[in-house]
Amino acid sequence: MDYEIVIGLEVHAQLLTKSKMFCSCSTDYINAPPNTHVCPVCLAMPGVLPAINKKAVEYTVMTALALNCTIPEYTKFDRKSYFYPDLMKGYQISQYDAPIGKGGWLTIEGNGAKKRINITRVHLEEDVAKLWHRGGYSLIDVNRSGVPLMETVSEPEISSPEEARDYLIKLRNILRYLGVSTCNMEEGSFRCDANISIRPRGSKEFFPKVEVKNMNSLKGVYQAMEYESKRQRKVFEEGGELVQETRGWIDEKGITVTQRTKEYADDYRYFPEPDLPPLVFDKAWVEEIRAKLPELPEARRERFVTQYGLPLYNANILTNSRALADYFESCLKLMNLSKAKMLSNWLLGDFSRLLNATNTEIENTKVSPEHLAEMFSLVDNGTISGPTTKAVFEEMFHSGKRASDIVAGKKLSQISDTTEVRKVVKQVIADNAKAVSDYSSGKQQALTFITGQVMKTTRGRANPTLVGEILMQELGGK
Ligand SMILES: [Zn+2]
């Protein structure tokens, strides 16, 4: 039988606010000693009251708008109770039936085909503490507890591991463009749980779904979805029974294992948070946020094609990273617009190669847009030539020096002095009698060889056009 895969994703992103969701503790806890970013509120001391972080609400509204959601006039927070001891209060403040954003979508583009994935909701909650399980006892670090956490829930409309990956890349890209989260999966600021089930192709029925957790990379999500769809198909085909459960992804082994059978929403005993007022959104405030939304990846890509004449392929890769697209535009501001394609090729070629090889993010590169633009101006005015440019750039990349300083220090500038070039050409002709006679008898490759010797002698610095002209004169060529 032919089966189809049904996947829904729940993505949690920590928001880039300075303080936590309901108290004034700093969210910058990553390298802090355990339990140093805490206060009576996030430690749930008796008698304390939470206060809502306005910036976190604003970021969530921004995201919901960017994901084409409706922003209801009214929203509220609810208590979600569960038995796992990672919150000091014994419950999590989340949102149940009145989320900040409802009914949106985003578009994924795998294999050139566009597909809209509907988004059920975007809501706001608080992150939980970290538990460290040791032999026979557990330790708790409350630093992370209370950090604003935004959850985006998709409809179960994702039909393959590839689509799941495309959806995550797209969502991450949008959040980064909005500047609301670092979306760093390794650091846990962007986390994904997946609900997956399979059914006979064409069926409208939903079979018991499995929730898969603990995937901390895009690759992990992809592999877990692939593993889980195969596992479920096997259970089906062997006549077994699929049960609704939560499974954990074990990255080292590449498998999922049963964690627990699924609690249903009722088990969480949601009820409205009595310590926080419901929020009523001022329409004008929402529209103000909408007006301030930055240009999003798709729009920017289209603009790169129309405004700069970039091939779609280049525009796509550049705009997949806001930082790379920003860098590109900063450089281009200092250059002639006709250089846009050359610049994009350079960024996607040599520059990206060095970034990858040194594991450097473009934000941290030592080559400023000014320095890169200066290097291209040296190419344009003939100070450096093709092969030298590559070497100069490598040194700029590693040392952070300006191209002009590197060229001056190493005497790398192009030799365009006729007398000097002629001297080298004559020497090469004298030293390579065989090649010269080959050329005279009509072998064109011999000329390539002789030219190569001239360039070698000048360490690539001779002006290639001039070398060609002088060689013709000296060889009495055609
Ligand atoms: Zn606190």
Side-chain angles (χ1 to χ4, degrees):
M1 193 187 285
D2 190 17
Y3 293 96
E4 62 184 0
I5 303 171
V6 182
I7 299 172
L9 295 178
E10 295 171 6
V11 176
H12 288 93
Q14 283 184 339
L15 294 176
L16 264 175
T17 55
K18 291 199 171 71
S19 58
K20 289 189 183 179
M21 188 60 226
F22 300 114
C23 62
S24 57
C25 289
S26 161
T27 53
D28 187 17
Y29 66 88
I30 288 288
N31 295 310
N35 300 309
T36 51
H37 288 229
V38 293
C39 74
V41 175
C42 53
L43 286 171
M45 296 294 183
V48 296
L49 282 175
I52 300 170
N53 184 326
K54 187 177 176 188
K55 198 77 194 170
V57 175
E58 191 181 319
Y59 281 168
T60 307
V61 170
M62 268 173 84
T63 306
L65 289 172
L67 294 173
N68 308 294
C69 289
T70 311
I71 312 293
E73 278 177 32
Y74 166 92
T75 184
K76 69 176 171 65
F77 289 94
D78 300 274
R79 288 186 180 180
K80 177 183 182 180
S81 308
Y82 57 91
F83 58 83
Y84 198 62
D86 58 7
L87 269 161
M88 309 304 283
K89 295 192 290 290
Y91 58 83
Q92 180 187 32
I93 303 180
S94 179
Q95 297 195 283
Y96 181 50
D97 53 352
I100 289 177
K102 281 200 267 196
W105 78 85
L106 64 72
T107 311
I108 55 170
E109 295 159 76
N111 306 321
K114 290 191 178 185
K115 178 175 173 184
R116 180 185 281 198
I117 306 291
N118 285 296
I119 288 172
T120 320
R121 56 190 280 151
V122 181
H123 74 248
L124 191 50
E125 57 191 32
E126 56 181 332
D127 209 343
V128 298
K130 249 190 185 159
L131 290 175
W132 306 89
H133 300 295
R134 303 292 156 93
Y137 67 100
S138 295
L139 299 170
I140 185 162
D141 175 7
V142 186
N143 285 348
R144 190 178 70 181
S145 174
V147 168
L149 201 59
M150 180 177 67
E151 181 170 344
T152 304
V153 182
S154 85
E155 288 289 311
E157 296 175 345
I158 297 165
S159 336
S160 66
E162 291 81 2
E163 284 187 11
R165 188 184 52 203
D166 292 347
Y167 173 91
L168 289 174
I169 291 174
K170 190 61 179 281
L171 179 61
R172 185 176 67 177
N173 214 355
I174 291 172
L175 300 191
R176 284 181 172 164
Y177 264 71
L178 295 171
V180 299
S181 175
T182 58
C183 295
N184 186 325
M185 279 188 111
E186 285 77 32
E187 285 180 3
S189 67
F190 189 79
R191 316 198 280 267
C192 165
D193 299 333
N195 288 302
I196 173 167
S197 62
I198 60 166
R199 63 184 176 197
R201 188 171 298 281
S203 163
K204 289 283 162 249
E205 206 181 327
F206 284 100
F207 287 83
K209 65 182 181 191
V210 170
E211 181 171 10
V212 186
K213 291 178 173 286
N214 302 345
M215 300 158 292
N216 53 15
S217 67
L218 288 172
K219 195 171 147 219
V221 173
Y222 179 86
Q223 290 175 337
M225 293 301 93
E226 208 171 44
Y227 174 85
E228 191 53 29
S229 56
K230 281 186 188 146
R231 186 192 68 83
Q232 292 186 19
R233 178 185 298 217
K234 191 158 178 275
V235 173
F236 245 126
E237 283 169 351
E238 288 172 356
E241 197 195 344
L242 283 166
V243 288
Q244 183 153 327
E245 61 176 334
T246 300
R247 298 176 72 90
W249 170 246
I250 313 283
D251 205 50
E252 312 83 79
K253 295 185 182 164
I255 57 168
T256 64
V257 295
T258 301
Q259 284 185 330
R260 57 177 187 264
T261 52
K262 175 79 183 162
E263 308 98 339
Y264 291 86
D266 289 347
D267 296 344
Y268 293 129
R269 290 173 287 122
Y270 278 104
F271 70 94
E273 168 59 63
D275 287 343
L276 293 171
L279 295 177
V280 177
F281 288 126
D282 177 7
K283 275 218 169 86
W285 184 70
V286 172
E287 287 315 308
E288 215 174 280
I289 294 175
R290 192 195 302 275
K292 280 193 301 192
L293 285 181
E295 185 181 34
L296 292 171
E298 272 171 63
R300 198 173 200 185
R301 182 184 62 193
E302 300 313 316
R303 184 167 63 78
F304 275 21
V305 171
T306 51
Q307 185 179 350
Y308 303 136
L310 295 189
L312 186 61
Y313 176 83
N314 290 21
N316 201 26
I317 302 183
L318 285 179
T319 54
N320 268 340
S321 149
R322 181 180 178 173
L324 187 58
D326 285 348
Y327 188 91
F328 169 77
E329 290 206 283
S330 303
C331 293
L332 203 54
K333 266 192 200 135
L334 307 165
M335 297 167 63
N336 190 307
L337 273 193
S338 66
K339 302 277 179 191
K341 187 176 167 192
M342 183 279 303
L343 174 65
S344 72
N345 284 335
W346 187 271
L347 291 184
L348 302 182
D350 281 302
F351 207 159
S352 295
R353 179 179 58 77
L354 284 173
L355 288 173
N356 290 338
T358 54
N359 208 7
T360 310
E361 297 289 335
I362 183 113
E363 293 95 320
N364 305 325
T365 178
K366 291 179 185 161
V367 184
S368 69
E370 290 75 19
H371 286 190
L372 195 60
E374 189 217 27
M375 183 190 85
F376 288 122
S377 73
L378 294 181
V379 175
D380 285 347
N381 69 21
T383 309
I384 48 177
S385 61
T388 318
T389 315
K390 223 176 162 131
V392 169
F393 178 71
E394 287 224 24
E395 180 152 357
M396 286 167 68
F397 186 88
H398 293 298
S399 70
K401 284 189 200 154
R402 303 182 76 92
S404 50
D405 293 339
I406 295 168
V407 169
K410 291 208 165 163
K411 298 199 172 59
L412 285 172
S413 57
Q414 186 161 288
I415 307 170
S416 296
D417 179 75
T418 314
T419 320
E420 204 175 330
V421 174
R422 191 178 302 275
K423 205 174 127 196
V424 178
V425 167
K426 281 186 163 167
Q427 188 60 48
V428 168
I429 288 176
D431 293 346
N432 294 279
K434 168 91 172 56
V436 173
S437 79
D438 284 352
Y439 173 71
S440 307
S441 59
K443 284 190 187 153
Q444 276 299 318
Q445 298 115 296
L447 183 62
T448 314
F449 172 78
I450 297 167
T451 311
Q453 291 304 305
V454 175
M455 296 312 282
K456 196 175 158 193
T457 312
T458 60
R459 284 180 297 144
R461 291 165 51 226
N463 178 327
T465 319
L466 194 59
V467 171
E469 284 167 14
I470 296 179
L471 265 175
M472 284 302 103
Q473 294 161 7
E474 293 296 325
L475 291 168
K478 319 142 212 184

